[in-house]
PDB file of all heavy atoms in Angstrom:
ATOM      1  N   ALA H  56      46.851 -29.812 -23.984  1.00 97.00           N
ATOM      2  CA  ALA H  56      47.909 -29.971 -24.975  1.00 97.00           C
ATOM      3  C   ALA H  56      47.583 -29.181 -26.241  1.00 97.00           C
ATOM      4  O   ALA H  56      48.476 -28.590 -26.862  1.00 97.00           O
ATOM      5  CB  ALA H  56      48.143 -31.454 -25.321  1.00 97.00           C
ATOM      6  N   ALA H  57      46.318 -29.171 -26.635  1.00 96.00           N
ATOM      7  CA  ALA H  57      45.906 -28.370 -27.817  1.00 96.00           C
ATOM      8  C   ALA H  57      46.043 -26.897 -27.528  1.00 96.00           C
ATOM      9  O   ALA H  57      46.558 -26.156 -28.379  1.00 96.00           O
ATOM     10  CB  ALA H  57      44.476 -28.721 -28.228  1.00 96.00           C
ATOM     11  N   ALA H  58      45.661 -26.462 -26.334  1.00 97.00           N
ATOM     12  CA  ALA H  58      45.795 -25.046 -25.963  1.00 97.00           C
ATOM     13  C   ALA H  58      47.272 -24.610 -25.978  1.00 97.00           C
ATOM     14  O   ALA H  58      47.603 -23.569 -26.508  1.00 97.00           O
ATOM     15  CB  ALA H  58      45.166 -24.770 -24.603  1.00 97.00           C
ATOM     16  N   THR H  59      48.124 -25.466 -25.437  1.00 97.00           N
ATOM     17  CA  THR H  59      49.566 -25.180 -25.425  1.00 97.00           C
ATOM     18  C   THR H  59      50.103 -25.070 -26.818  1.00 97.00           C
ATOM     19  O   THR H  59      50.833 -24.153 -27.209  1.00 97.00           O
ATOM     20  CB  THR H  59      50.304 -26.271 -24.600  1.00 97.00           C
ATOM     21  OG1 THR H  59      49.751 -26.302 -23.293  1.00 97.00           O
ATOM     22  CG2 THR H  59      51.803 -26.004 -24.578  1.00 97.00           C
ATOM     23  N   GLY H  60      49.770 -26.058 -27.655  1.00 95.00           N
ATOM     24  CA  GLY H  60      50.293 -26.122 -29.073  1.00 95.00           C
ATOM     25  C   GLY H  60      49.792 -24.996 -29.924  1.00 95.00           C
ATOM     26  O   GLY H  60      50.435 -24.611 -30.891  1.00 95.00           O
ATOM     27  N   LYS H  61      48.650 -24.389 -29.565  1.00 95.00           N
ATOM     28  CA  LYS H  61      48.079 -23.324 -30.386  1.00 95.00           C
ATOM     29  C   LYS H  61      48.188 -21.966 -29.715  1.00 95.00           C
ATOM     30  O   LYS H  61      47.628 -20.967 -30.195  1.00 95.00           O
ATOM     31  CB  LYS H  61      46.618 -23.644 -30.718  1.00 95.00           C
ATOM     32  CG  LYS H  61      46.511 -24.974 -31.476  1.00 95.00           C
ATOM     33  CD  LYS H  61      45.162 -25.188 -32.096  1.00 95.00           C
ATOM     34  CE  LYS H  61      45.149 -26.434 -32.904  1.00 95.00           C
ATOM     35  NZ  LYS H  61      46.179 -26.530 -33.951  1.00 95.00           N
ATOM     36  N   ASN H  62      48.925 -21.906 -28.619  1.00 96.00           N
ATOM     37  CA  ASN H  62      49.090 -20.633 -27.915  1.00 96.00           C
ATOM     38  C   ASN H  62      47.725 -20.014 -27.580  1.00 96.00           C
ATOM     39  O   ASN H  62      47.496 -18.814 -27.776  1.00 96.00           O
ATOM     40  CB  ASN H  62      49.968 -19.641 -28.635  1.00 96.00           C
ATOM     41  CG  ASN H  62      51.366 -20.184 -28.757  1.00 96.00           C
ATOM     42  OD1 ASN H  62      51.943 -20.730 -27.833  1.00 96.00           O
ATOM     43  ND2 ASN H  62      51.947 -20.034 -29.941  1.00 96.00           N
ATOM     44  N   ALA H  63      46.778 -20.811 -27.072  1.00 97.00           N
ATOM     45  CA  ALA H  63      45.435 -20.383 -26.818  1.00 97.00           C
ATOM     46  C   ALA H  63      45.101 -20.568 -25.364  1.00 97.00           C
ATOM     47  O   ALA H  63      45.839 -21.213 -24.585  1.00 97.00           O
ATOM     48  CB  ALA H  63      44.488 -21.194 -27.681  1.00 97.00           C
ATOM     49  N   ASN H  64      43.944 -19.988 -24.923  1.00 97.00           N
ATOM     50  CA  ASN H  64      43.432 -20.277 -23.598  1.00 97.00           C
ATOM     51  C   ASN H  64      43.035 -21.705 -23.508  1.00 97.00           C
ATOM     52  O   ASN H  64      42.461 -22.244 -24.441  1.00 97.00           O
ATOM     53  CB  ASN H  64      42.205 -19.408 -23.345  1.00 97.00           C
ATOM     54  CG  ASN H  64      42.493 -17.945 -23.266  1.00 97.00           C
ATOM     55  OD1 ASN H  64      43.409 -17.518 -22.612  1.00 97.00           O
ATOM     56  ND2 ASN H  64      41.585 -17.147 -23.837  1.00 97.00           N
ATOM     57  N   PHE H  65      43.326 -22.318 -22.391  1.00 98.00           N
ATOM     58  CA  PHE H  65      42.807 -23.648 -22.106  1.00 98.00           C
ATOM     59  C   PHE H  65      41.370 -23.482 -21.620  1.00 98.00           C
ATOM     60  O   PHE H  65      41.111 -22.781 -20.666  1.00 98.00           O
ATOM     61  CB  PHE H  65      43.611 -24.371 -21.062  1.00 98.00           C
ATOM     62  CG  PHE H  65      43.006 -25.653 -20.571  1.00 98.00           C
ATOM     63  CD1 PHE H  65      42.541 -26.653 -21.456  1.00 98.00           C
ATOM     64  CD2 PHE H  65      42.908 -25.959 -19.209  1.00 98.00           C
ATOM     65  CE1 PHE H  65      41.962 -27.806 -21.043  1.00 98.00           C
ATOM     66  CE2 PHE H  65      42.374 -27.085 -18.756  1.00 98.00           C
ATOM     67  CZ  PHE H  65      41.887 -28.037 -19.663  1.00 98.00           C
ATOM     68  N   ALA H  66      40.434 -24.029 -22.357  1.00 98.00           N
ATOM     69  CA  ALA H  66      38.996 -23.962 -22.057  1.00 98.00           C
ATOM     70  C   ALA H  66      38.456 -25.381 -21.896  1.00 98.00           C
ATOM     71  O   ALA H  66      37.966 -25.972 -22.875  1.00 98.00           O
ATOM     72  CB  ALA H  66      38.258 -23.197 -23.170  1.00 98.00           C
ATOM     73  N   PRO H  67      38.526 -25.926 -20.731  1.00 97.00           N
ATOM     74  CA  PRO H  67      38.101 -27.335 -20.534  1.00 97.00           C
ATOM     75  C   PRO H  67      36.695 -27.621 -21.001  1.00 97.00           C
ATOM     76  O   PRO H  67      36.426 -28.735 -21.513  1.00 97.00           O
ATOM     77  CB  PRO H  67      38.260 -27.562 -19.005  1.00 97.00           C
ATOM     78  CG  PRO H  67      38.937 -26.428 -18.442  1.00 97.00           C
ATOM     79  CD  PRO H  67      38.949 -25.289 -19.453  1.00 97.00           C
ATOM     80  N   ARG H  68      35.774 -26.666 -20.869  1.00 96.00           N
ATOM     81  CA  ARG H  68      34.410 -26.947 -21.245  1.00 96.00           C
ATOM     82  C   ARG H  68      34.190 -27.077 -22.766  1.00 96.00           C
ATOM     83  O   ARG H  68      33.136 -27.549 -23.193  1.00 96.00           O
ATOM     84  CB  ARG H  68      33.482 -25.867 -20.703  1.00 96.00           C
ATOM     85  CG  ARG H  68      33.422 -25.911 -19.173  1.00 96.00           C
ATOM     86  CD  ARG H  68      32.352 -25.143 -18.539  1.00 96.00           C
ATOM     87  NE  ARG H  68      31.037 -25.524 -19.093  1.00 96.00           N
ATOM     88  CZ  ARG H  68      30.053 -24.680 -19.210  1.00 96.00           C
ATOM     89  NH1 ARG H  68      30.155 -23.434 -18.823  1.00 96.00           N
ATOM     90  NH2 ARG H  68      28.873 -25.072 -19.698  1.00 96.00           N
ATOM     91  N   LEU H  69      35.170 -26.676 -23.577  1.00 96.00           N
ATOM     92  CA  LEU H  69      34.995 -26.906 -25.002  1.00 96.00           C
ATOM     93  C   LEU H  69      34.821 -28.393 -25.332  1.00 96.00           C
ATOM     94  O   LEU H  69      34.152 -28.732 -26.253  1.00 96.00           O
ATOM     95  CB  LEU H  69      36.203 -26.360 -25.767  1.00 96.00           C
ATOM     96  CG  LEU H  69      36.193 -24.873 -26.083  1.00 96.00           C
ATOM     97  CD1 LEU H  69      37.493 -24.457 -26.775  1.00 96.00           C
ATOM     98  CD2 LEU H  69      35.005 -24.483 -26.911  1.00 96.00           C
TER      99      LEU H  69
END
Side-chain angles (χ1 to χ4, degrees):
T59 302
K61 299 192 176 306
N62 296 318
N64 292 318
F65 171 49
R68 291 194 57 211
L69 278 177

